[in-house]
Amino acid sequence: MANEIPFPLYHKNASKNTIQRALDTTLFFLLISLLFYRLLSLKTHGFVWLLAFLCESWFTFYWFLIVNAKWSPVDIKTYPQNLEPRFPELPAVDMFVTTADPVREPPIMTVNTVLSLLAVDYPADKLACYVSDDGCSALTFYSLVESSKFAKLWVPFCKKYKVQVRAPFRYFLEDPISISAPNFEFKEEWEKIKVEYEHLCLKIKEASRKSAPCNLTHDFAVFANIETGNHPTIIKIIGENCEEDVPHLIYISREKRPKYRHHFKAGAMNVLSRVSGLMTNAPLMLNVDCDMFVNNPQVVRQALCQLVGRESERDMGFIQYPQCFYNATKDDPYGNQMVVLMEYIGRGIAGLQGPPYAGTGCFHRRKVIYGVWPDNAASINDYEAMKEFGKSEEFLESATHALKGEKGIRKSISDYLEASFQVAACDYEFGSSWGTKFGWIYGSMTEDVLTGLNIHKKGWKSNFHFLDPPAFLGCAPTGGPAAMTQQKRWATGLLEILVSKSNPIVFTLTGNLQFRLYLFYIYLLSWGLTSVPELCYAALPAYCIIANSHFLPKVQDPAILIPVAIFVTYNMLTLREYLKVDLSFRAWWNNMRMARITATSAYLFGVLTIVLKLLGLSDTVFDVTQKNDEASEDEDDDEINGTAKFTFDESPIFVPGTTLLLVHLTALLSLCLGLRPLVHKDGQGSGVGLGEVLCSLWVVLCFRPFMKGLFRIGKYGLPSSTIFKSTSLALVLVCLGTASWA
């Protein structure tokens, strides 16, 4: 009798994208044509022509990298209903939540994320939730203790009524009748739990207003006179799964001392890996940021469909879910929702070796994090393991079981509390390979990308999984300062990887990183480098007007059709991408202008930070992005109504954009006043070309939020210090341009 075909767990289907490929290829050949034209006419033009050629060469190369990433899109279809028939004994999952600042990351936000994880649709005895608090905040600990009491009501309620949204702050926004059938029992329980949640929020809010959230006695005594950057390890078992109804909940604040490097989030994640390895040692790990709650309660089962099974076990390293946002402002005014990026680049690289690790919403195999290569059995002796994993014998035992795929004999998690303090100490990693060979890799503020790159170079694959509804929902930065801070941190961290020994060039030559994925990583890590050609190219039209020069073919020259065709094709192509995913024209425009603003502002400061670091003049500093509490009472009316105005602060990050705008306004004003002549209609003689004028107007249009900021006050206006610095720089640049004309 033939063997029965097992129930499928997932399928990966290639998507047809003929039109997309044709448009992408057309634009690429137009860019190549422009470069050939520049080369052929380079001798008859000056420095401006050469600078334009260099910028356009970078844009062409960068577009090639983008096309490579988009070329092979796939869709993943999972069948979670087939999971338990094939694997009755489901694997355990350890869930990690990271937070670092109770002010910028409000504890009620962390609480909702934790509650959504505890209530996920999965056996409670198979789950454990670990919360890393790098801010060592008594308020965060207090909030988790109070939320654990509420969880005993919330988790059974969610599972009893199959609640879809399991973060209370989102669930209670809807009317109970619209959620479920209006039966008396459900409505009574709904009202009871809503009152309990409101009481929980009130207690946390009142605690946040006090200098100390509660009496610092008993379990809270360790927080008395605590210093954020100088304190011992604090590990508290808030809830232990004794009755198998609510998963374990453990609070961790690792030891910090001024003389030790703590490696930002990567260091916290490695401590979570070791402590969880001692206490529960689940073969799978999920990590989320404190603002990213579970939006699809089936997400664990969905991920398992791609992680379990003989074939998947052999090559699938991690499953990454896209970042989606619950506080998405209408039309994405800050250009940070990344919908189109995820849709096209994300699906495209899923058809290669797989997407990079994005730092949140990701399921990992513990043995992959511990450094195992595909198809390699763990075969290390005790001495080597001790040297690699540190000096804890208890952790060595748990790591050995994890590497060999064995469960081991687990005791109560409280029995491992003493050993957990040892592996969370500052000096535990000395002499080990944590952060270098395995774990979350050190050396970049974007530790997620570096860790994923380290996994990919060993030959592991990954998948990018879109779910409906989305698996997780997070909080997008709102306001100019928060958005720019995040983009600067990303650009800095990515460039740290590019200039390090862990760059993808090395991994392609010495590891198993596929060539096309190598090209994608070059695209990703080069985000910051785009600032230099972007800024130069954006300044060219104004310079040409001021210096009475030109960087574009003249209007009567047939070659003018090449840059015109590039401009039209690129904008039509990108607009088509936005419309295909049901975004508006306004969203497309917002993302186009923010791409210019981000590149010439945040990315530029990322490059400067790396240059200073390489010169040994300064080191990188991790800036926590300000998260907005959804329940905040001081939201702006424009944000509540679904719109948003661009906001500013006194950060120097807004100086380059303001300077660029002022230079262009000065150039256009000089043209209007007749101080600079336009080229004659017949194209003969000197003068400013029409192409340069239109390009200058386009730049001004892109930086329109900055122009509005010149005339507004408060957070919607540019600070006087920024205007003064930018005006001074603009005057210098205008004088230099005028001198070159003279």
Side-chain angles (χ1 to χ4, degrees):
M1 183 177 179
N3 293 331
E4 294 184 2
I5 299 174
F7 296 111
L9 293 180
Y10 81 97
H11 283 145
K12 181 184 286 189
N13 301 314
S15 301
K16 294 182 179 180
N17 62 336
T18 306
I19 297 176
Q20 185 73 36
R21 284 185 176 186
L23 292 172
D24 290 342
T25 305
T26 299
L27 180 56
F28 178 69
F29 280 109
L30 284 171
L31 288 165
I32 292 291
S33 301
L34 181 59
L35 292 183
F36 272 110
Y37 170 75
R38 293 280 190 198
L39 279 173
L40 293 174
S41 55
L42 196 58
K43 292 182 180 180
T44 58
H45 296 81
F47 171 75
V48 172
W49 205 262
L50 175 61
L51 183 59
F53 170 76
L54 294 175
C55 293
E56 289 158 358
S57 297
W58 172 261
F59 298 148
T60 304
F61 171 67
Y62 208 63
W63 183 249
F64 167 74
L65 297 179
I66 293 173
V67 172
N68 164 75
K70 296 195 298 182
W71 198 254
S72 308
V74 296
D75 291 311
I76 305 295
K77 174 67 176 177
T78 53
Y79 305 96
Q81 68 273 15
N82 296 339
L83 189 62
E84 286 177 285
R86 285 188 59 180
F87 302 96
E89 183 66 22
L90 295 175
V93 180
D94 288 338
M95 305 177 292
F96 302 154
V97 180
T98 51
T99 183
D101 189 327
V103 176
R104 296 187 178 186
E105 299 172 335
I108 190 62
M109 184 179 288
T110 304
V111 162
N112 272 277
T113 296
V114 169
L115 289 171
S116 72
L117 289 169
L118 296 178
V120 76
D121 186 11
Y122 202 72
D125 62 317
K126 300 285 186 180
L127 297 173
C129 182
Y130 296 83
V131 181
S132 170
D133 177 20
D134 254 15
C136 195
S137 166
L139 175 61
T140 300
F141 177 61
Y142 170 80
S143 301
L144 291 171
V145 170
E146 294 300 319
S147 67
S148 69
K149 302 172 186 176
F150 175 73
K152 295 176 181 178
L153 298 173
W154 176 247
V155 173
F157 172 79
C158 289
K159 294 186 176 181
K160 179 179 179 181
Y161 293 105
K162 300 186 186 306
V163 171
Q164 177 62 41
V165 179
R166 302 194 177 184
F169 84 111
R170 299 294 294 179
Y171 176 74
F172 289 118
L173 291 177
E174 298 185 37
D175 183 82
I177 297 178
S178 66
I179 298 172
S180 179
N183 64 74
F184 177 77
E185 181 185 4
F186 167 77
K187 189 173 181 180
E188 186 178 43
E189 287 193 52
W190 187 91
E191 291 176 347
K192 174 186 175 183
I193 292 180
K194 184 180 181 183
V195 170
E196 290 294 331
Y197 176 67
E198 290 173 347
H199 183 53
L200 171 65
C201 293
L202 183 61
K203 286 197 290 186
I204 293 174
K205 182 177 289 188
E206 289 178 349
S208 65
R209 293 171 178 167
K210 301 176 183 177
S211 56
C214 58
N215 294 327
L216 299 180
T217 57
H218 304 294
D219 283 346
F220 296 90
V222 292
F223 291 97
N225 302 317
I226 205 78
E227 294 181 40
T228 302
N230 185 16
H231 61 81
T233 299
I234 301 174
I235 302 177
K236 298 287 185 181
I237 300 174
I238 298 175
E240 189 166 0
N241 176 243
C242 298
E243 300 176 1
E244 298 187 356
D245 55 350
V246 179
H248 301 303
L249 178 59
I250 300 97
Y251 170 92
I252 303 171
S253 184
R254 58 186 172 133
E255 181 185 15
K256 283 191 174 182
R257 300 300 179 191
K259 63 179 181 179
Y260 290 92
R261 296 192 66 181
H262 302 109
H263 303 289
F264 312 124
K265 182 180 175 181
M269 291 301 300
N270 282 335
V271 169
L272 285 172
S273 299
R274 295 194 293 270
V275 173
S276 67
L278 284 167
M279 290 187 170
T280 47
N281 206 30
L284 302 176
M285 302 182 292
L286 162 67
N287 88 279
V288 295
D289 289 340
C290 65
D291 66 316
M292 184 158 283
F293 66 84
V294 176
N295 185 60
N296 189 324
Q298 288 282 317
V299 65
V300 177
R301 297 176 184 272
Q302 294 278 358
L304 283 180
C305 288
Q306 303 171 69
L307 288 169
V308 300
R310 197 163 25 179
E311 184 175 345
S312 296
E313 183 82 15
R314 191 164 56 243
D315 62 5
M316 192 61 64
F318 60 88
I319 306 299
Q320 178 65 59
Y321 286 89
Q323 293 191 35
C324 304
F325 306 101
Y326 62 82
N327 67 330
T329 311
K330 183 180 178 182
D331 296 329
D332 194 9
Y334 303 108
N336 55 13
Q337 294 171 25
M338 302 179 293
V339 176
V340 171
L341 180 71
M342 296 292 180
E343 180 67 27
Y344 291 93
I345 302 292
R347 290 186 189 275
I349 55 179
L352 307 179
Q353 193 174 345
Y357 168 38
T360 181
C362 188
F363 286 84
H364 296 272
R365 295 188 190 280
R366 184 178 292 273
K367 67 178 184 179
V368 174
I369 291 295
Y370 283 2
V372 169
W373 291 62
D375 297 320
N376 281 8
S379 56
I380 50 177
N381 60 50
D382 288 355
Y383 175 77
E384 289 174 335
M386 186 75 73
K387 183 178 179 181
E388 295 283 325
F389 288 98
K391 301 177 181 179
S392 169
E393 294 183 4
E394 292 91 342
F395 181 74
L396 171 60
E397 180 184 1
S398 76
T400 302
H401 287 305
L403 290 169
K404 293 180 178 180
E406 301 172 352
K407 293 182 180 179
I409 301 174
R410 309 307 299 165
K411 298 180 285 186
S412 169
I413 61 173
S414 57
D415 293 336
Y416 294 94
L417 195 57
E418 183 177 349
S420 296
F421 279 89
Q422 180 185 1
V423 300
C426 280
D427 59 354
Y428 181 78
E429 295 180 353
F430 283 179
S432 74
S433 295
W434 284 99
T436 54
K437 290 184 180 180
F438 52 78
W440 272 256
I441 306 302
Y442 302 149
S444 169
M445 287 196 291
T446 51
E447 78 297 320
D448 46 2
V449 175
L450 182 54
T451 301
L453 178 59
N454 188 62
I455 293 172
H456 278 141
K457 72 109 173 185
K458 296 175 182 176
W460 289 103
K461 296 180 181 178
S462 58
N463 265 350
F464 200 68
H465 192 195
F466 289 82
L467 285 180
D468 186 18
F472 302 94
L473 289 180
C475 179
T478 57
M484 291 295 105
T485 297
Q486 184 185 68
Q487 294 286 350
K488 176 195 170 187
R489 186 177 72 242
W490 288 350
T492 304
L494 294 172
L495 285 173
E496 282 181 308
I497 301 173
L498 189 63
V499 300
S500 72
K501 296 180 180 178
S502 300
N503 66 70
I505 300 174
V506 175
F507 285 170
T508 304
L509 296 174
T510 62
N512 295 322
L513 188 66
Q514 294 179 3
F515 180 70
R516 285 187 61 192
L517 192 66
Y518 152 76
L519 293 178
F520 164 75
Y521 271 112
I522 293 296
Y523 153 75
L524 181 64
L525 301 181
S526 301
W527 277 7
L529 293 181
T530 60
S531 61
V532 178
E534 281 270 4
L535 185 60
C536 292
Y537 210 70
L540 274 177
Y543 174 82
C544 289
I545 293 174
I546 295 170
N548 194 27
S549 180
H550 68 96
F551 76 102
L552 292 172
K554 295 180 180 179
V555 175
Q556 77 280 1
D557 189 342
I560 191 64
L561 294 177
I562 301 177
V564 170
I566 291 173
F567 178 83
V568 173
T569 304
Y570 175 75
N571 285 288
M572 291 300 101
L573 187 156
T574 52
L575 177 59
R576 176 182 179 271
E577 291 178 341
Y578 278 80
L579 296 179
K580 280 197 68 176
V581 294
D582 297 324
L583 294 177
S584 66
F585 175 87
R586 185 61 181 267
W588 165 79
W589 169 243
N590 285 340
N591 277 260
M592 290 301 101
R593 66 171 175 79
M594 281 304 302
R596 309 287 78 76
I597 292 172
T598 301
T600 55
S601 301
Y603 289 176
L604 181 64
F605 272 79
V607 171
L608 293 175
T609 301
I610 293 301
V611 170
L612 292 176
K613 179 181 179 179
L614 292 175
L615 294 175
L617 299 177
S618 69
D619 202 356
T620 53
V621 178
F622 190 94
D623 295 318
V624 178
T625 305
Q626 176 70 49
K627 307 291 195 309
N628 291 329
D629 181 1
E630 178 76 2
S632 177
E633 296 178 355
D634 58 353
E635 288 184 87
D636 294 322
D637 291 337
D638 59 335
E639 292 179 354
I640 293 174
N641 294 330
T643 61
K645 299 175 183 176
F646 203 91
T647 57
F648 303 90
D649 64 7
E650 295 187 355
S651 170
I653 207 168
F654 295 108
V655 171
T658 308
T659 303
L660 186 63
L661 172 67
L662 292 175
V663 170
H664 276 278
L665 291 176
T666 303
L668 292 172
L669 181 62
S670 67
L671 196 65
C672 293
L673 296 177
L675 301 178
R676 294 293 182 274
L678 274 171
V679 72
H680 298 311
K681 293 182 180 180
D682 59 0
Q684 301 301 316
S686 62
V688 177
L690 181 62
E692 284 73 19
V693 176
L694 293 177
C695 287
S696 185
L697 290 171
W698 178 258
V699 173
V700 171
L701 191 60
C702 289
F703 283 82
R704 188 164 170 258
F706 283 71
M707 188 160 63
K708 289 182 177 180
L710 292 172
F711 305 101
R712 287 176 173 168
I713 59 174
K715 67 178 183 178
Y716 299 120
L718 284 162
S720 55
S721 59
T722 301
I723 295 175
F724 175 77
K725 295 172 186 175
S726 301
T727 303
S728 302
L729 282 172
L731 286 174
V732 172
L733 294 174
V734 169
C735 290
L736 290 175
T738 304
S740 65
W741 182 36

